[in-house]
């Protein structure tokens, strides 16, 4: 990812993802901005404003990578929440313009970052520290996950295959050995062997969860309750797989 060609590829993926989001937003009726999203307590305006302010926050982390200074992603949690609340009621046309302008600022900052700065450590608002090149995948996640969260016709089935595959690996690693999560196997359709193990590393997994990679990622990320998945307990295929699936920790 430190090579310029890899950054260019990631930026092209971001461009495609943003274009799809802008099409969805442009086709919404004006009053839809105040309607509920799929995120509890948030309107579509909250989701759209968050996507825009996230772009600006990631510019702060790119600047941290460029200068070596520990620049916070947001001035404070309170400022982040206030900006989202203040921006949520804006008209749809203003939201659309903000999405385009904020993303353009992020892309320009990323394109201008020196190659050596992509390996510099940056600090996420959660406290996690990681190399700057991971910001590109995180921005793609913001666009793709929150596009679904708009509840405006874009679903996990529309996710690009590469995005879904990368997120499956990321989330499976995150939940491997997670406290309080029973051991279970995940199996992607058409793979001859289980692809990942979640939860406790001890004992034989009780459940095997199978399905298309997009459906697995939708469940792992909290975007579905298990639609499109099959759950086996031993040799038995359960008739109500969603009831058998354990509650997952929040995704990171």
């Amino acid at each position: 990812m430190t090579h310029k060609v890899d950054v260019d590829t990631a930026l092209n993926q971001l461009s495609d993802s943003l274009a799809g989001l802008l099409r969805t937003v442009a086709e919404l009726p004006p009053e839809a901005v105040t309607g509920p999203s799929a995120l509890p307590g948030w309107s579509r305006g909250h989701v759209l404003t968050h996507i825009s302010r996230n772009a600006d926050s990631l510019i702060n982390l790119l600047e941290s990578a460029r200068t070596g200074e520990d620049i916070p992603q947001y001035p404070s949690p309170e400022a982040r929440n206030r900006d989202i609340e203040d921006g949520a009621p804006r008209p749809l046309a203003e939201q659309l313009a903000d999405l385009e302008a904020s993303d353009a600022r992020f892309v320009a900052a990323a394109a201008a970052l020196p190659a050596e700065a992509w390996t510099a450590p940056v600090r996420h608002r959660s406290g996690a520290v990681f190399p700057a090149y991971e910001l590109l995948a995180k921005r793609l996640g913001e666009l793709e996950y929150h596009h679904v969260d708009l509840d405006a016709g874009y679903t996990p089935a529309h996710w690009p295959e590469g995005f879904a595959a990368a997120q499956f690996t990321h989330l499976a690693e995150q939940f491997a050995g997670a406290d309080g999560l029973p051991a279970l196997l995940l199996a992607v359709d058409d793979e001859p062997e289980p692809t990942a193990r979640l939860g406790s590393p001890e004992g034989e997994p009780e459940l095997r969860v199978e399905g298309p990679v997009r459906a697995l990622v939708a469940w792992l990320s909290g975007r579905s309750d298990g639609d499109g998945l099959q759950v086996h307990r031993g040799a038995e295929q359960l008739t109500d797989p969603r009831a058998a699936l354990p509650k997952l920790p929040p995704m990171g």
Side-chain angles (χ1 to χ4, degrees):
M1 185 64 74
T2 58
H3 298 297
K4 180 65 175 173
V5 64
D6 295 321
V7 173
D8 286 344
T9 298
L11 291 178
N12 286 334
Q13 292 172 333
L14 287 173
S15 178
D16 290 343
S17 182
L18 179 72
L21 174 63
L22 294 177
R23 284 194 297 271
T24 294
V25 176
E27 292 171 359
L28 290 172
E31 66 274 13
V33 71
T34 58
S37 74
L39 296 178
W42 270 19
S43 69
R44 292 190 182 95
H46 284 90
V47 175
L48 295 173
T49 300
H50 167 63
I51 296 171
S52 295
R53 299 291 71 78
N54 170 262
D56 289 332
S57 78
L58 296 184
I59 294 172
N60 292 333
L61 297 186
L62 290 174
E63 182 66 6
S64 179
R66 187 185 69 82
T67 63
E69 299 177 24
D70 188 7
I71 300 172
Q73 184 177 358
Y74 294 94
S76 68
E78 295 77 17
R80 172 186 177 273
N81 295 339
R82 185 173 59 251
D83 284 347
I84 293 171
E85 289 295 333
D86 289 348
R90 294 175 299 166
L92 196 62
E94 189 174 335
Q95 298 276 9
L96 189 60
D98 192 12
L99 285 171
E100 292 187 89
S102 59
D103 194 81
R105 291 192 293 270
F106 171 76
V107 169
L113 195 69
E116 63 274 11
W118 284 109
T119 56
V122 296
R123 187 181 305 276
H124 190 263
R125 71 182 185 90
S126 66
V129 176
F130 48 78
Y133 64 75
E134 292 189 15
L135 294 173
L136 298 168
K138 288 189 178 299
R139 178 59 181 170
L140 185 60
E142 292 288 327
L143 292 171
E144 289 294 333
Y145 282 124
H146 290 318
H147 195 169
V148 170
D149 294 336
L150 280 179
D151 195 20
Y154 189 82
T155 72
H158 295 101
W159 282 332
E161 182 178 357
F163 170 78
Q167 287 298 305
F168 177 81
T169 299
H170 168 71
L171 292 171
E173 289 175 352
Q174 177 185 333
F175 296 141
D179 290 340
L181 185 64
L184 67 150
L185 297 176
L186 299 181
V188 177
D189 279 354
D190 301 325
E191 295 288 338
E193 298 293 334
T195 313
R197 174 177 172 142
L198 304 190
S200 172
E202 304 297 330
E204 188 69 21
E206 180 182 356
L207 299 178
R208 175 185 171 112
V209 183
E210 303 177 5
V213 67
R214 291 173 177 86
L216 287 164
V217 173
W219 175 61
L220 291 170
S221 66
R223 268 70 189 179
S224 87
D225 56 3
D227 288 345
L229 300 179
Q230 296 180 4
V231 179
H232 291 79
R233 181 179 285 115
E236 176 191 7
Q237 181 174 328
L238 304 183
T239 57
D240 188 3
R242 289 177 293 186
L245 291 170
K247 180 177 175 58
L248 295 170
M251 63 181 288

